[in-house]
Amino acid sequence: QSVLTQPPSASGTPGQRVTISCSGSSSNIGSNTVNWYQQLPGTAPKLLIYSNNQRPSGVPDRFSGSKSGTSASLAISGLQSEDEADYYCAAWDDSLNGRWVFGGGTKLTVL
Amino acid sequence: EVQLLESGGGLVQPGGSLRLSCAASGFTFSSYAMSWVRQAPGKGLEWVSAISGSGGSTYYADSVKGRFTISRDNSKNTLYLQMNSLRAEDTAVYYCAKVEYSSSVRSLSRGYFDYWGQGTLVTVSS
């Protein structure tokens, strides 16, 4: 059971907009920033969004993040076939002397 | 160009030990906290441990506390993870990751993993 809760799967057709939710609590998302990672099949995770809504250089502006209270969301607009991947949210958790926590991951399928 | 290269994975029997290494290049290693994150086969990401740039502060997930030890040698630009008393549930790909901060206050609560290695597989089985 992951500390952060994500839907296990999401899907969309090319060109559509999809959103992936991430729910936490006051000790993690509620008090710290949220980051998102993309893991393409058979590869290492890659940073997608940091500090709730910031994109590293090289990440297309089709990807955006937001946070409200103890929840966060990742939105992907203009869905492309190469976006098919696993997506993970993560945040620092202030409990238990501090630790990073991840969501269980959402597998995005482009239909 | 930032590069992180893990090594040391392999097959080990339950109760055994293994030491993972992560050779870093392309950045001032001693200025950044580093972390280990693992992924069991077919499962999600799980944070394992982190260490400050100086090595003076360390952090562990409850699942590995008392069994794993994170350390670093800043003269060799290398991160380590000593894993003892290994269990079947420790079987996973272990990634090392560089920690960056989103604010001028370099607090782990504002940290994120901006670069990841390719991972090394640890299999615990008899």
Side-chain angles (χ1 to χ4, degrees):
Chain A
Q1 189 90 7
S2 302
V3 174
L4 304 182
T5 301
Q6 297 180 236
S9 63
S11 64
T13 57
Q16 267 191 330
R17 182 178 187 271
V18 298
T19 61
I20 297 171
S21 62
C22 176
S23 178
S25 67
S26 58
S27 66
N28 43 67
I29 294 178
S31 51
N32 298 305
T33 55
V34 178
N35 311 300
W36 291 88
Y37 301 92
Q38 177 193 58
Q39 187 175 32
L40 297 170
T43 69
K46 167 194 163 185
L47 177 66
L48 193 65
I49 297 287
Y50 67 95
S51 191
N52 304 326
N53 54 18
Q54 302 298 302
R55 279 178 287 106
S57 62
V59 173
D61 58 7
R62 302 186 295 105
F63 295 89
S64 63
S66 64
K67 178 185 125 172
S68 178
T70 59
S71 294
S73 291
L74 172 70
I76 309 172
S77 60
L79 198 62
Q80 299 181 5
S81 58
E82 55 260 41
D83 298 334
E84 188 159 290
D86 293 324
Y87 293 85
Y88 296 89
C89 60
W92 181 259
D93 189 291
D94 293 325
S95 64
L96 299 176
N97 298 316
R99 54 177 180 163
W100 266 295
V101 291
F102 283 92
T106 298
K107 182 174 181 57
L108 175 63
T109 301
V110 181
L111 302 170
Chain B
E1 178 194 6
V2 172
Q3 290 193 332
L4 301 171
L5 186 61
E6 302 96 334
S7 61
L11 176 63
V12 61
Q13 292 188 337
S17 298
L18 211 56
R19 188 177 85 155
L20 305 183
S21 299
C22 172
S25 62
F27 64 102
T28 305
F29 184 67
S30 60
S31 295
Y32 291 89
M34 297 292 294
S35 188
W36 290 97
V37 177
R38 68 185 180 184
Q39 185 171 34
K43 302 297 184 182
L45 301 174
E46 179 189 15
W47 173 74
V48 173
S49 183
I51 186 168
S52 63
S54 66
S57 298
T58 57
Y59 308 82
Y60 298 95
D62 282 353
S63 58
V64 306
K65 197 173 294 184
R67 300 187 300 122
F68 289 11
T69 301
I70 191 171
S71 62
R72 63 193 297 159
D73 186 335
N74 287 343
S75 69
K76 296 182 178 179
N77 288 353
T78 303
L79 174 72
Y80 302 101
L81 186 67
Q82 177 67 44
M83 304 185 295
N84 299 330
S85 303
L86 282 161
R87 307 166 179 167
E89 53 265 35
D90 295 318
T91 294
V93 173
Y94 285 72
Y95 297 101
C96 71
K98 171 181 169 288
V99 178
E100 183 55 274
Y101 302 97
S102 59
S103 76
S104 58
V105 176
R106 298 171 72 84
S107 165
L108 291 181
S109 66
R110 294 296 179 265
Y112 55 92
F113 308 125
D114 61 342
Y115 290 95
W116 299 64
Q118 86 293 342
T120 187
L121 177 62
V122 173
T123 303
V124 184
S125 174
S126 54

